[in-house]
Amino acid sequence: MRTMGLDYGDKTIGVAVSDLLGLTAQGIEVIRRASPQHDLDQLRRLIGEYEVTEIVVGLPKNMNGSIGPRGELCQEFAAQLTETFNLPVRMWDERLTTVSATRTLLEADVSRKKRKQVVDKIAAVLILQGYMDSKR
């Protein structure tokens, strides 16, 4: 029983999955968005491969807690996932996860090119890890 974490963006979807015990999150892939059907096909493949039973989607809130246009797109995406995969889909406040992911990569002295390739995956890890930690 694994949980999948998603960082849904305009151009990419960062993907992370939990370990079998639900203790740690690992980044597995960054999906380059091409079309809604392509995105869902890629997620379907990963859900099957990792035997995912629950999905967590990052919800970008404004600093005052309100939900803006980007957050509304993420909510629509989550609803589409629920309908398509018939799995529980949770929303998780992702404020500052991309900032934290970038800072972590900077501290690790990762080059700008490599940071750009993995920042969404790291953000997905932070979203999923935060959700799992809250359940303990």
Side-chain angles (χ1 to χ4, degrees):
M1 294 187 38
R2 293 184 195 244
T3 302
M4 175 179 279
L6 301 175
D7 180 42
Y8 181 72
D10 290 328
K11 297 179 183 177
T12 62
I13 303 171
V15 184
V17 294
S18 68
D19 64 346
L20 290 172
L21 298 175
L23 300 175
T24 62
Q26 296 88 35
I28 56 168
E29 193 167 316
V30 175
I31 297 170
R32 298 275 170 226
R33 297 194 54 212
S35 70
Q37 190 57 54
H38 168 266
D39 302 345
L40 293 173
D41 289 344
Q42 294 303 307
L43 290 170
R44 181 177 286 106
R45 173 181 59 83
L46 294 170
I47 288 168
E49 182 178 337
Y50 290 94
E51 300 177 346
V52 170
T53 58
E54 178 180 35
I55 301 171
V56 178
V57 177
L59 177 62
K61 292 183 177 181
N62 297 320
M63 292 311 287
N64 67 3
S66 65
I67 297 172
R70 179 85 234 150
E72 290 172 359
L73 289 173
C74 290
Q75 289 175 321
E76 290 170 13
F77 177 66
Q80 185 178 34
L81 295 176
T82 300
E83 185 178 312
T84 302
F85 300 119
N86 198 30
L87 292 172
V89 178
R90 317 273 184 238
M91 301 300 295
W92 185 254
D93 184 353
E94 70 161 43
R95 279 180 278 190
L96 303 178
T97 56
T98 300
V99 172
S100 296
T102 301
R103 184 176 299 129
T104 299
L105 293 168
L106 280 169
E107 289 172 1
D109 202 27
V110 175
S111 72
R112 180 182 301 264
K113 183 178 179 182
K114 288 184 182 175
R115 276 196 313 265
K116 196 171 184 181
Q117 294 172 352
V118 299
V119 70
D120 297 318
K121 187 175 1 178
I122 301 296
V125 168
L126 294 172
I127 290 164
L128 180 55
Q129 192 66 56
Y131 171 76
M132 291 187 309
D133 289 348
S134 76
K135 290 175 54 174
R136 288 190 219 150

